[in-house]
Amino acid sequence: MEVFFQQLINGLTLGSIYGLIAIGYTMVFGIIGMVNFAHGDVFMVSSFIALIALMVITTWLGVGSIILALLIVLIIAMVFTSLISWTIERIAYRPLRGSFRLAPLISAIGMSIVLMNFVQVAQGPRNKAVDPILNTVIILFDNGTYAVTLSYKQIMIAITTAVLLMVFWWVVAKTPLGRAQRACEQDRKMAALLGVDVDRTISVTFVMGAALAAVAGTLYLVYYGVVNFADGFTPGVKAFTAAVLGGIGSLPGAVLGGLLIGLIETFWSAYFSVEYKDVAAFSILAVVLIFLPQGILGRPDVEKV
């Protein structure tokens, strides 16, 4: 049971990071019906921005408080990542919005390759590491041979995910921006006729998704302590899988899907073969979609006639 509870904690922590990335996928797809395959690499870029900012703040500026340093790093990563995502939407996606459906998808794949190769050239192909951060652990219980622990950074990741989910759900459900986003999701042409600035709404949605990706990238750096230029693809695909599993277009569904993917990975790695953890996650996704095509919390599509 000790191993079970430890893997439960690890899986919820990993799933929280997936959930933050998945919210960006589900928001963009819900509004414009496009899978933003560059979102995973936006997450990767944000982790490098956080790495550089952390090194500058702690080494050059001499900020001693790790909490203050992380807060500044988080703000810097969110600002720069949002700017990058806004630029991508403005240059690579908006001109193709009225074209055939595959054009934005191809453009998204191209932007993903551009971001990955740019970071590879700028930062090098090797892993970039930071000193351990918030490694203090709380021993929940110990039977003498195995101790179940909970670290401060795991607590921080769980609380951050829960708070951001509530904040973004409130924004989408209760604010004028959220009403504009839901109007664009239902019918962009009708929303434009009713006075909604569709271009601005879509750009803000990309910025919101990028801000969440920046939070996820910073938490990923804190949790693992190492980043690589190729770290955008696998977490990005898993986060998109989480969004589909939870129900595309549903913010709680995206986080729920992320938690499920994280739990499947960690439990499979602990009790079975770690080499097949991704196979297990995608297999369970396929089984769920057979019986729930709209995902766990997704709404069934209504055909307009």
Side-chain angles (χ1 to χ4, degrees), residues 20-21 38 41 49 60 68 71 84 91-92 112 121 183 228 239 246 261 294 302:
L20 288 175
I21 309 172
D41 289 280
I49 293 174
W60 291 1
L68 177 60
L71 183 61
I84 292 172
I91 296 175
S112 173
V121 172
N228 184 275
I261 295 294
Q294 73 276 11
V302 178

Side-chain angles (χ1 to χ4, degrees), residues 87-147:
T87 304
I88 292 173
E89 190 277 331
R90 186 67 181 85
I91 296 175
Y93 300 154
R94 186 180 298 183
L96 301 175
R97 199 171 295 156
S99 61
F100 66 102
R101 292 181 62 87
L102 285 180
L105 180 63
I106 295 171
S107 181
I109 295 173
M111 286 306 308
S112 173
I113 296 172
V114 167
L115 291 175
M116 183 172 61
N117 287 343
F118 172 77
V119 174
Q120 181 183 13
V121 172
Q123 296 296 320
R126 296 186 178 182
N127 293 339
K128 303 294 183 181
V130 296
D131 294 332
I133 302 172
L134 298 177
N135 269 359
T136 306
V137 298
I138 302 170
I139 299 177
L140 300 181
F141 49 89
D142 187 354
N143 64 357
T145 59
Y146 192 95

Side-chain angles (χ1 to χ4, degrees), residues 21-304:
I21 309 172
I23 292 177
Y25 275 111
T26 199
M27 291 180 70
V28 171
F29 187 88
I31 288 184
I32 62 177
M34 186 197 81
V35 181
N36 181 18
F37 277 115
H39 190 64
D41 289 280
V42 170
F43 154 78
M44 177 270 298
V45 171
S46 73
S47 66
F48 272 91
I49 293 174
L51 170 66
I52 296 171
L54 183 63
M55 293 177 61
V56 170
I57 291 171
T58 56
T59 304
W60 291 1
L61 301 182
V63 176
S65 172
I66 190 62
I67 301 300
L68 177 60
L70 286 177
L71 183 61
I72 298 173
V73 165
L74 189 60
I75 294 173
I76 293 174
M78 291 175 70
V79 170
F80 280 94
T81 307
S82 299
L83 181 61
I84 292 172
S85 184
W86 178 85
T87 304
I88 292 173
E89 190 277 331
R90 186 67 181 85
I91 296 175
Y93 300 154
R94 186 180 298 183
L96 301 175
R97 199 171 295 156
S99 61
F100 66 102
R101 292 181 62 87
L102 285 180
L105 180 63
I106 295 171
S107 181
I109 295 173
M111 286 306 308
S112 173
I113 296 172
V114 167
L115 291 175
M116 183 172 61
N117 287 343
F118 172 77
V119 174
Q120 181 183 13
V121 172
Q123 296 296 320
R126 296 186 178 182
N127 293 339
K128 303 294 183 181
V130 296
D131 294 332
I133 302 172
L134 298 177
N135 269 359
T136 306
V137 298
I138 302 170
I139 299 177
L140 300 181
F141 49 89
D142 187 354
N143 64 357
T145 59
Y146 192 95
V148 178
T149 62
L150 177 66
S151 66
Y152 286 155
K153 57 187 173 185
Q154 290 176 318
I155 297 174
M156 179 183 69
I157 290 172
I159 293 176
T160 302
T161 301
V163 170
L164 288 177
L165 173 61
M166 289 187 291
V167 169
F168 276 71
W169 177 86
W170 178 81
V171 169
V172 172
K174 303 295 184 181
T175 65
L177 172 61
R179 287 193 292 272
Q181 289 174 324
R182 285 181 279 123
C184 293
E185 177 184 2
Q186 293 179 5
D187 192 326
R188 291 206 303 270
K189 291 183 179 179
M190 184 57 68
L193 290 173
L194 294 175
V196 176
D197 190 338
V198 175
D199 288 338
R200 174 181 173 274
T201 302
I202 293 175
S203 294
V204 171
T205 303
F206 271 86
V207 167
M208 293 170 64
L212 285 173
V215 176
T218 305
L219 296 178
Y220 183 89
L221 175 68
V222 171
Y223 190 57
Y224 289 104
V226 61
V227 292
N228 184 275
F229 76 95
D231 281 344
F233 178 75
T234 301
V237 171
K238 291 178 180 177
F240 177 68
T241 303
V244 175
L245 179 63
I248 202 76
S250 169
L251 301 190
V255 176
L256 175 61
L259 294 176
L260 290 176
I261 295 294
L263 289 171
I264 293 168
E265 279 194 29
T266 53
F267 279 121
W268 191 274
S269 300
Y271 293 107
F272 301 101
S273 174
V274 67
E275 288 83 4
Y276 293 98
K277 61 184 177 66
D278 295 338
V279 176
F282 290 116
S283 299
I284 291 177
L285 169 68
V287 172
V288 170
L289 292 182
I290 290 174
F291 298 99
L292 293 171
Q294 73 276 11
I296 298 174
L297 300 181
R299 299 187 301 272
D301 289 334
V302 178
E303 191 70 27
K304 298 178 182 178

